[in-house]
Amino acid sequence: MTVAAMWEARAADGRAAELAYWARESALPAVRGAAGLERLELFSAPGERVLLITWWSGEPVPLPDPPAELLGRPVHRWSFTSEHVE
């Protein structure tokens, strides 16, 4: 069974680049090498949003929260179970 864990944060005004940097330098290393991690991706989106998606064989390891001053609102998290891949 593969579980995709999505972590999405909206940066405080004007701080999207800092939030993306924090995600690359702190959040990704926090899970890199964790048991069951199959893949991880970092995305940016309009609205100063940063998205991390990690794929796991088993229970996902939670990603940390960024420093509060980088956030425009609390981090959102979802987990999904893969149903079909082509």
Side-chain angles (χ1 to χ4, degrees), residues 10-34:
R10 185 171 51 88
D13 289 341
R15 303 201 70 180
E18 290 173 83
L19 180 59
Y21 178 82
W22 177 89
R24 274 191 310 278
E25 299 301 315
S26 298
L28 295 181
V31 296
R32 195 174 281 128

Side-chain angles (χ1 to χ4, degrees), residues 15-16 26 30 36-38 42 54 65 70 72:
R15 303 201 70 180
S26 298
L37 180 66
E38 296 178 0
L42 174 63
T54 54
D65 282 331
L70 295 180

Side-chain angles (χ1 to χ4, degrees), residues 13-85:
D13 289 341
R15 303 201 70 180
E18 290 173 83
L19 180 59
Y21 178 82
W22 177 89
R24 274 191 310 278
E25 299 301 315
S26 298
L28 295 181
V31 296
R32 195 174 281 128
L37 180 66
E38 296 178 0
R39 177 176 163 184
L40 52 85
E41 290 189 53
L42 174 63
F43 299 88
S44 60
E48 301 196 280
R49 291 177 293 147
V50 174
L51 174 68
L52 293 166
I53 303 176
T54 54
W55 284 261
W56 302 86
S57 57
E59 190 65 30
V61 171
L63 289 160
D65 282 331
E69 64 271 12
L70 295 180
L71 295 176
R73 62 156 168 73
V75 172
H76 291 204
R77 292 173 169 87
W78 305 271
S79 290
F80 299 89
T81 302
S82 180
E83 297 290 335
H84 180 84
V85 176

